Amino acid sequence: MSTSKGVSVTERAKVALNDEFLRNAVKYTTEKLRDGKRQASSEQGNWEEWRERGRQIRLHTISHLDYYLNQFIENAKANGVQVHFAATAAEAASITLGIAQKRQARTVVKSKSMVSEEVHINETLEKEGMESIETDLGEYIIQLAHEMPSHIIIPAIHKNREQIAELLSKEAGETLPPDTTILAGFVRKKLREKFLEADIGMTGCNFAIAESGSIVLFENEGNARMVSTVPKTQITLMGMERIIPSWDDLEVMATLLPRSATGQKLTVYMSGISGPRREADSDGPEEMHIIIVDNGRSLQLGDPDFQELLNCIRCGACLNACPVYRQIGGHSYGGPYSGPIGAVLKPALQKNVAEWDDIANASSLCGACYEACPVKIPLHDMLVYLRNRKVKEGHKAAEENLGMKGYAYIMANPKRLRRVLRLGRVGQKLLLTDNVIKAKIGPLKGWNQYRHTPGLPAQSFREQWHSLDQELQQTRREMDETIKARLEKERTQRGKGGSHS
Amino acid sequence: MSEQQQAFIQMISNRLGRPMPTEKPPHPFKGAPDFWKSYELDLEQRIELFRDNWAKAGGHSHRLSTMAEVKQFIVDHAQSLKARQILQQNQPELLALRLKEQLPTCQVTTWSPGNRDELISQAASADIGIALVDQAVAHTGSIVVTSSGNTGRSVSLLPTVFIAIIPVERLKTRLGETLATFDGRPRKQFPAGIHFISGPSRSADIENDLTIGVHGPGVVFALLIG
Ligand code: SF4
């Protein structure tokens, strides 16, 4: 699936450098999303109180996850749902395949889901001769091009209108003009046919409500509604930590999530699905499966430093806020999740500190991710914990510890970072990766979307950082005192292991 | 409880370092913060806020006084849009409009129980879908519709144009007021599909250019009655 395989970083950068369109588009999107969030959260008012409430609800749920997940399962089953359990991604894939084969499915329509990307579901189904179609507009375009999404909110951002017109013309068997309305109109018609002929619809799950056994989906296009309305069988892949106790609690999540992701008051569609269709209903799935996926999540439970990772609502605000991410893009994170959350989640899900690399660590030392996070996950602290564990396990040379201080100083200020990056060849290389920025950002695809790109090898970054560091010897100083004090205060106040503070 | 479920839950309890609570854990932070729960707008403010939000999302709204005006609105728009197929929910207020008689050149279909294949294909080719909504929310500019034998999910989703009729007394200030009606509702009365809709279907996937009506309706009318 990777088109970049075997292509050197320099070559990739060269291609990206020539793509002015892409560069502008990425910048435009990230800034728009960030500003939108700022506006929406200030419009809502009392944003801090909402954040605190969101944090409390997530802390409470995760620290009683056994109770609430069990309650969810019992209620979902009573609603007529068939519930499955997957300890690993491979298990989730084989359960999905098993259902599809039993239903003798030929066509599967999918709305975007991060879990399904962890699980590589398209590949699994296609290997068995089933058609698996992404129905989100951008994802569909990328699938036609046999490429990877280059941006989470706008996966086809690296394609301009003309290129999209060419791709869709091939599909249409006639020449379509490069006009957004006409192109989207063609996709609407084409995918409408697919929705109608599909045997199975697959969705992710933004929240699962324990008290009623419902799953809740946030989206703007309506494709998640389509896949959960038209096909006779629905399969929902759900991370085991998606639970909230009640519909009451959903108000808080619905207030925080769209505002944090794209600055919308609510996504165009928010759907609560509680089991297969009722007997009299003429639409909705006749059979509904929920696959509850662990895949490394449970490793965070009971780990005081990382349990709060499970509070994440996948809004992407930490990406938009991160100066490093905005400068160098999502390339360097490697894996389905990028930005500050990806930097922590990737090694944490595997409990493998060797996976953790410096560039990821660097992204959060300024604390901007924490400030942006609607459920106040202390990502910056977690990066420090990861680092400490890595040092303990001897993965890191002591001298590198020193380097990080200077790095924190640069990263704390985007302007400073840009200036530094402009200095030399090294900086230029880093900037270039911005042109192929790949991120998980908003509710359009947002929390249920992702990108997967080969990351820059950690080694090359360390080399780069070394020379960058040389230039900074003169100006090195510690993180801004006020920021440091604030983080320190937060750290001591924070309840560990999911207790209420 | 299946063995697998038991093992999965047991694994979580083990990680959390205690047995699974047998009683509902006290949840002092349930729902929205207290200051928010007392936020309430009067009817005219609610209507104004709803219409403002709906318009910002790209929807159209009209304030009408009676169902007779609703009928006139639908007939006028069906004619000017040259609609050939209309799909309506099986709701007495809609049936009373007698759209079939008013629009003789139009095929008017009414949703019904147990007629899956035919109704879904009707919905897919319908120009206009019409529904009386269960509830609406001013603060987010949303309408709420639910599924049943007489009210299909497809009606608000597959047609090109969707007309939502909102009796103003169903318009609430906060999202939480509508969500609260689902907490504790008995399973028998719990709809399989609950849908909040806050404007036309949209996407910005082609060159960041906002496109309307990618999969769901691109034109949405909210008719506030009363
Ligand atoms: S960690 Fe990032 S993606 Fe997760 S909730 Fe916080 S800001 Fe959103």
Side-chain angles (χ1 to χ4, degrees), chain A residues 140 144 165-176 186 189-190:
Chain A
Y140 177 66
L144 286 182
E166 207 181 302
L167 273 172
L168 295 177
S169 295
K170 229 180 271 169
E171 205 52 29
E174 59 174 306
T175 308
L176 301 172
F186 165 74
K189 189 167 156 281
K190 176 86 192 176

Side-chain angles (χ1 to χ4, degrees), chain A residues 311-318 341 369 372-375 377 379 440:
Chain A
N311 296 358
C312 176
I313 60 172
R314 307 279 192 265
C315 71
C318 54
I341 180 66
C369 48
C373 179
V375 289
I377 300 173
L379 291 165
K440 171 209 160 290

